[in-house]
Amino acid sequence: MPVIGDALRLDPKRPVQREMEFVRELGDVFEINIVGSKLIVVGGGAAAAEVFDESRFAKAVVPPVSNLRELAGDGLFTAFNREPAWAQAHNVLMPAFSQLSMRSYHDAMTQCVDELCDYWTDQAGRGPADISSDMNRLTLEVIGRTGFGYSFDSFDSERHEFVEAMTRVLSFASKAANDVPILREIFGWKALRQNPKDIALLKRSVDDVIAARRDGTTPRQDDLLQRMLEHPDPDTGGLLSDASIRNQVLTFLIAGHETTAGTLSFALHYLSLNPEMVDKARAEIEAVIGRDGAPIQFEQVAKLRYVRRIVDETLRLWPSGPAFFRKARADTTLSGYQLGKGATILVVLLALHRDRRLWGENAEEFDPDRFLPAAVRARPAHAYKPFGVGARACIGRQFALHEAVLALSRILMRFDVVPTPGYELSVSELLTIRPEKLRLHLRTR
Ligand code: HEM
């Protein structure tokens, strides 16, 4: 339409799911025009392989991601590619996210999962559990304790003021990307006034955590915060500034909890509907860990291959970061179309991960065996990218996978997961995706 372009065809509440419908309607590559600004969308096929090529394309920091810069500044996720703070923090933090480093987080993760299970046991008789909310409690607690030695008391208290402020800030950043500014002034004035207060509270709280560690009020710990305080960047020899440490802490809280929580929630949804998968997973868990309910050891997590396939398949059907942005490094072409330097491209993973040419006619079905090693080898590498691509791919990949496999295995050891009759999956979006109003009965085994 004149002036507003395709704006009326978008769905501000479920933007990525709408893009997925467009991909089905229009094909692998198309352009949408939102009030004069043009966005290229890629949803599958060879175009995806092209746009993942780091020599021609790079991460683009545009709304809604750039809206988070107000909170996380040049933190890892929101930094522009050339900002020096990115390379410095990347160099300092990469070793802390290797598969081996997971050993130092394993016990805290196990403890948090057990606290969740105890919380569910205490709640028994109060009806089905609110899965997305409980998974958020778990993953926030895990990143808080493993990252910064901080507990949000997730299983004892009702909502924590920090968590409430963070939820509002994420919601604000996500909605701001789809709103018309003048309408926001009129209808969203309350959120507009609240947002700076929330951001100030979040920054203040994190500054307090950092200061307490620095002056010895809280003990030294082998975690991400200690690493940032002590380890210089091997390239420059410099330590991260306090502002950068604060930005990274906020970044991990944002990037490291809702994504894994969404993944766990979707996985539990599918497991509740597929008892034969639960049987198979339990047979594996019992073979690796035994039947006596002993805690899962660090080395055992990597042996839970079927549980891992459940996680992989969950991230295929519902990648919790459902889309990401790329930009052309120079004038180039994409699927034969001309692109100017800097052109922004949205990669809709949700569509790519269901591309029938890559995943077969049953692409919409949940089937963990798609991730058997031979099947993985038979597919092109660009078919599956739940953790992004290139230099700016997810630093927390191993962390998320370790946590998800550990948590799912422990939950299946302790509970039967029973669906609530009549539940139809609907998916809400707020930068990340999650099953909406998913409630499951958890019966102690
Ligand atoms: C299943 C869980 C997760 C998924 C699906 C996921 C997905 C992603 C994706 C797609 C990106 C790239 C975004 C882009 O290109 O704009 C990304 C980046 C990032 N993720 Fe994750 N993530 C997950 C868990 C985590 C965890 C647990 C952490 C931290 C503990 C984390 C920290 C980050 C950071 C810091 C970045 C930015 C990296 C950089 O640009 O250098 N993520 N993630």
Side-chain angles (χ1 to χ4, degrees):
M1 293 180 74
V3 187
I4 61 168
D6 301 310
L8 293 181
R9 298 191 67 198
L10 305 179
D11 180 347
K13 286 217 171 102
R14 296 172 211 269
V16 186
Q17 289 168 84
R18 186 78 187 99
E19 301 293 352
M20 177 165 71
E21 288 167 17
F22 283 147
V23 173
R24 288 193 185 126
E25 203 181 303
L26 300 169
D28 291 341
V29 189
F30 54 90
E31 185 178 82
I32 51 180
N33 168 349
I34 309 159
V35 198
S37 68
K38 292 192 173 159
L39 177 68
I40 294 142
V41 181
V42 165
E50 273 195 79
V51 93
F52 294 160
D53 175 355
E54 280 277 281
S55 66
R56 295 169 54 211
F57 296 91
K59 167 163 171 155
V61 180
V62 293
V65 175
S66 56
N67 295 344
L68 288 170
R69 282 183 64 95
E70 235 180 297
L71 175 64
D74 56 12
L76 278 174
F77 181 61
T78 41
F80 297 116
N81 295 326
R82 289 209 178 84
E83 269 175 313
W86 178 81
Q88 211 189 356
H90 179 81
N91 291 342
V92 170
L93 285 160
M94 268 304 270
F97 282 102
S98 68
Q99 166 120 66
L100 259 182
S101 301
M102 295 308 122
R103 188 184 288 279
S104 47
Y105 314 129
H106 179 84
D107 287 350
M109 285 184 183
T110 304
Q111 203 178 354
C112 293
V113 176
D114 278 343
E115 284 175 33
L116 166 77
C117 292
D118 294 343
Y119 167 79
W120 276 344
T121 306
D122 291 346
Q123 299 278 313
R126 297 201 197 164
D130 178 340
I131 294 299
S132 294
S133 156
D134 289 352
M135 290 302 114
N136 268 337
R137 287 176 201 253
L138 169 68
T139 55
L140 189 66
E141 199 57 32
V142 166
I143 190 68
R145 288 197 214 169
T146 55
F148 330 107
Y150 184 80
S151 171
F152 293 94
D153 292 328
S154 302
F155 307 112
D156 294 331
S157 61
E158 275 314 302
R159 296 297 268 180
H160 192 290
E161 70 166 359
F162 186 97
V163 180
E164 292 198 335
M166 190 164 60
T167 311
R168 280 193 299 265
V169 169
L170 292 179
S171 157
F172 186 87
S174 167
K175 288 183 183 148
N178 296 298
D179 276 1
V180 180
I182 182 74
L183 295 182
R184 164 150 288 223
E185 281 292 338
I186 300 166
F187 299 109
W189 62 271
K190 220 171 145 190
L192 215 53
R193 306 289 169 276
Q194 184 64 37
N195 194 49
K197 291 186 207 160
D198 286 335
I199 289 178
L201 179 134
L202 294 174
K203 288 185 175 174
R204 223 173 29 245
S205 313
V206 170
D207 286 346
D208 290 348
V209 173
I210 299 171
R213 180 71 67 90
R214 258 201 205 289
D215 67 21
T217 316
T218 51
R220 267 189 107 262
Q221 207 175 298
D222 189 10
D223 60 12
L224 298 174
L225 177 54
Q226 204 67 42
R227 185 167 183 92
M228 290 190 280
L229 290 170
E230 288 175 356
H231 284 254
D233 170 7
D235 284 353
T236 63
L239 284 169
L240 298 187
S241 67
D242 270 12
S244 175
I245 295 177
R246 178 220 275 158
N247 288 339
Q248 310 311 337
V249 171
L250 287 166
T251 298
F252 291 132
L253 290 171
I254 299 167
H257 100 277
E258 296 225 347
T259 41
T260 314
T263 307
L264 284 167
S265 305
F266 283 113
L268 287 173
H269 165 70
Y270 285 107
L271 288 172
S272 76
L273 300 177
N274 292 286
E276 73 292 352
M277 292 179 193
V278 173
D279 290 345
K280 213 166 157 180
R282 281 197 184 130
E284 175 181 78
I285 295 165
E286 283 173 10
V288 173
I289 291 141
R291 300 192 59 151
D292 57 358
I296 303 174
Q297 302 300 319
F298 170 75
E299 291 78 10
Q300 292 172 328
V301 174
K303 295 183 182 153
L304 297 166
R305 304 307 306 163
Y306 185 69
V307 180
R308 170 62 191 273
R309 293 207 287 281
I310 292 172
V311 173
D312 290 341
E313 174 67 345
T314 304
L315 281 165
R316 179 188 72 84
L317 264 185
W318 296 108
S320 40
F324 53 82
F325 290 95
R326 308 277 291 162
K327 65 178 180 192
R329 288 183 190 270
D331 291 350
T332 186
T333 59
L334 177 62
S335 277
Y337 297 104
Q338 293 295 325
L339 288 192
K341 180 178 175 184
T344 311
I345 301 134
L346 178 72
V347 179
V348 183
L349 278 188
L350 212 50
L352 172 68
H353 285 182
R354 291 157 188 251
D355 185 334
R356 287 193 163 80
R357 293 159 298 178
L358 296 165
W359 297 95
E361 282 309 305
N362 66 351
E364 300 289 327
E365 284 166 27
F366 186 81
D367 175 9
D369 288 343
R370 292 180 205 277
F371 287 89
L372 280 166
V376 173
R377 279 195 299 274
R379 271 189 304 268
H382 72 268
Y384 184 68
K385 294 288 175 200
F387 293 100
V389 292
R392 306 293 302 269
C394 182
I395 201 172
R397 178 171 176 272
Q398 296 295 348
F399 188 100
L401 292 171
H402 192 87
E403 180 181 3
V405 171
L406 176 67
L408 275 186
S409 305
R410 195 72 184 147
I411 290 169
L412 291 182
M413 280 162 89
R414 291 194 49 181
F415 298 95
D416 285 326
V417 183
V418 182
T420 42
Y423 177 75
E424 291 276 338
L425 181 63
S426 75
V427 174
S428 65
E429 295 185 26
L430 240 164
L431 298 177
T432 61
I433 53 175
R434 77 224 60 214
E436 205 168 28
K437 298 193 181 115
L438 172 64
R439 290 195 161 60
L440 295 171
H441 295 276
L442 295 146
R443 307 222 167 106
T444 313
R445 292 181 73 212

